[in-house]
Amino acid sequence: DDQTRRFLTGPLGVRMKEDGGELELQVTKLMDWFAEDFERWGGGRVAFLRKYLPPAQQKRIAAAKEIDLEFRDYSWKLNDASR
């Protein structure tokens, strides 16, 4: 739980953009690739995110009329063992 919270609130974690009542959550591409897992074990992607985000961001999600997920490109450099 701690590492998930750290990732989601860190520089590669969730970013939010609001436009009227619509809230766009920019998240890791992993949430797209493994959407079924988040639905099955996390109660859905948005519910999973809310669980780990700070209270202020949880409130923004709760207040949104519509939520869109935008998936950032995945950096395969993260898997580079030579770094």
Side-chain angles (χ1 to χ4, degrees):
D1 283 352
D2 177 63
Q3 293 304 308
T4 301
R5 204 169 272 106
R6 288 179 62 156
F7 174 76
L8 292 176
T9 59
L12 299 176
V14 177
R15 296 291 165 254
M16 297 183 171
K17 288 196 316 187
E18 289 183 77
D19 186 12
E22 184 176 315
L23 181 64
E24 179 181 278
L25 304 178
Q26 298 173 348
V27 297
T28 175
K29 186 70 172 169
L30 294 171
M31 294 195 87
D32 185 27
W33 292 336
F34 297 99
E36 192 174 300
D37 293 338
F38 286 102
E39 297 300 323
R40 185 179 305 134
W41 296 305
R45 292 177 287 194
V46 174
F48 178 86
L49 293 169
R50 279 185 68 185
K51 176 180 176 181
Y52 292 101
L53 292 174
Q57 288 181 312
Q58 291 176 11
K59 288 178 185 176
R60 287 175 71 184
I61 291 172
K65 293 178 184 164
E66 185 178 331
I67 297 174
D68 285 328
L69 295 177
E70 176 72 27
F71 305 102
R72 289 191 303 273
D73 290 335
Y74 185 79
S75 173
W76 290 102
K77 292 178 184 179
L78 298 171
N79 296 339
D80 186 356
S82 66
R83 295 182 341 145

